[in-house]
Amino acid sequence: MKFFVDTADIAEIKDLAATGLLDGVTTNPSLIKKAGRDFKEVIAEICAVTDGPVSAEVVAMDFDGMVAQGEDLAKIAKNVTIKVPLTIEGLKACRHFRNKGIMVNVTLCFSPAQALLAAKAGASFISPFVGRLDDVGSDGLTLIHDIVTIYNNYDFETEVLVASVRNPIHIVESAKMGAHVATAPASVLKALVNHPLTDRGLETFLKDWAATGQKL
Ligand code: G3P
């Protein structure tokens, strides 16, 4: 499973890239607002940190506007992935970008039917939002299971990019289902390493090592 970080904070991205575990970055208009930075400048900086796909979202609602914005964003770097919403206009734009060899992430997916349409439109990635479904009392992970099943049934090349991830369980359960990518805040990716038995074991090993009186 690939890990993308869901942020526009350069320091966080650099910190994770240094672990060697980072495969890409996703942003959205809310994350750009949070970063308080110029959109295109921050996307260029992120692309200089990682070779992996970097999602940059269009904000036009119509096909022509999405094409104009997406083509402009795609000029920033080869690894820019254009993020379009799951609407008819977004699906049309998705097909347009794919025909031009530009990667596309179709976002705001909340149903298997929507995911099927995105795959048919040639999306590189589909972004189902698990956390936001959980928030309204639906089971986000069931959506991941359904999409993976449908995509496998037809050998679609679209990668399932699990988004709106809130905790390590979302990632582990999605990995068990065979989802290709998880995008999560840096805090959730870092939480994957935590286990109290690891901490306790390390403490004992270090204490026993000190008791040997040896040095390395
Ligand atoms: O970037 C898309 C998605 O990951 C947003 O997540 O936490 O705002 O629901 P969230």
Side-chain angles (χ1 to χ4, degrees):
M1 175 181 249
K2 286 176 269 191
F3 289 161
F4 292 178
V5 64
D6 202 24
T7 185
D9 183 316
I10 293 285
E12 274 186 351
I13 296 165
K14 283 187 176 162
D15 182 45
L16 280 164
T19 66
L21 295 170
L22 188 69
D23 301 301
V25 177
T26 50
T27 67
N28 62 38
S30 304
L31 292 170
I32 297 295
K33 178 181 169 221
K34 191 172 166 198
R37 302 266 321 270
D38 178 82
F39 182 26
K40 288 197 233 172
E41 250 177 52
V42 86
I43 293 296
E45 261 184 61
I46 296 171
C47 289
V49 176
T50 178
D51 291 335
V54 174
S55 289
E57 189 160 340
V58 298
V59 289
M61 296 296 289
D62 62 306
F63 171 77
D64 290 336
M66 288 181 193
V67 166
Q69 291 178 358
E71 289 187 354
D72 192 32
L73 290 167
K75 283 186 203 142
I76 295 174
K78 274 196 304 229
N79 51 333
V80 168
T81 300
I82 304 305
K83 211 169 177 188
V84 299
L86 220 157
T87 60
I88 289 292
E89 296 297 290
L91 294 172
K92 276 162 65 181
C94 177
R95 173 52 65 198
H96 168 89
F97 291 127
R98 290 306 287 147
N99 288 346
K100 295 191 91 176
I102 296 170
M103 288 186 291
V104 184
N105 176 357
V106 178
T107 190
L108 289 165
C109 172
F110 294 95
S111 79
Q114 291 179 320
L116 181 56
L117 293 179
K120 286 178 69 65
S124 319
F125 302 101
I126 181 68
S127 288
F129 280 30
V130 288
R132 291 194 196 184
L133 278 171
D134 289 355
D135 290 347
V136 296
S138 287
D139 181 5
L141 287 170
T142 298
L143 175 59
I144 303 304
H145 175 267
D146 290 346
I147 298 173
V148 170
T149 302
I150 291 169
Y151 283 11
N152 285 342
N153 283 348
Y154 295 97
D155 287 335
F156 281 124
E157 286 178 8
T158 304
E159 295 191 28
V160 180
L161 195 173
V162 183
S164 186
V165 164
R166 305 265 198 265
N167 54 56
I169 293 172
H170 280 152
I171 298 178
V172 172
E173 290 303 314
S174 298
K176 282 157 71 177
M177 293 168 194
H180 308 82
V181 194
T183 189
S187 58
V188 175
L189 291 175
K190 285 184 174 171
L192 289 171
V193 80
N194 295 337
H195 200 288
L197 290 179
T198 303
D199 298 339
R200 204 188 306 166
L202 191 56
E203 200 183 312
T204 307
F205 286 157
L206 291 178
K207 202 168 129 217
D208 289 346
W209 175 251
T212 69
Q214 298 181 51
K215 296 256 179 281
L216 267 183

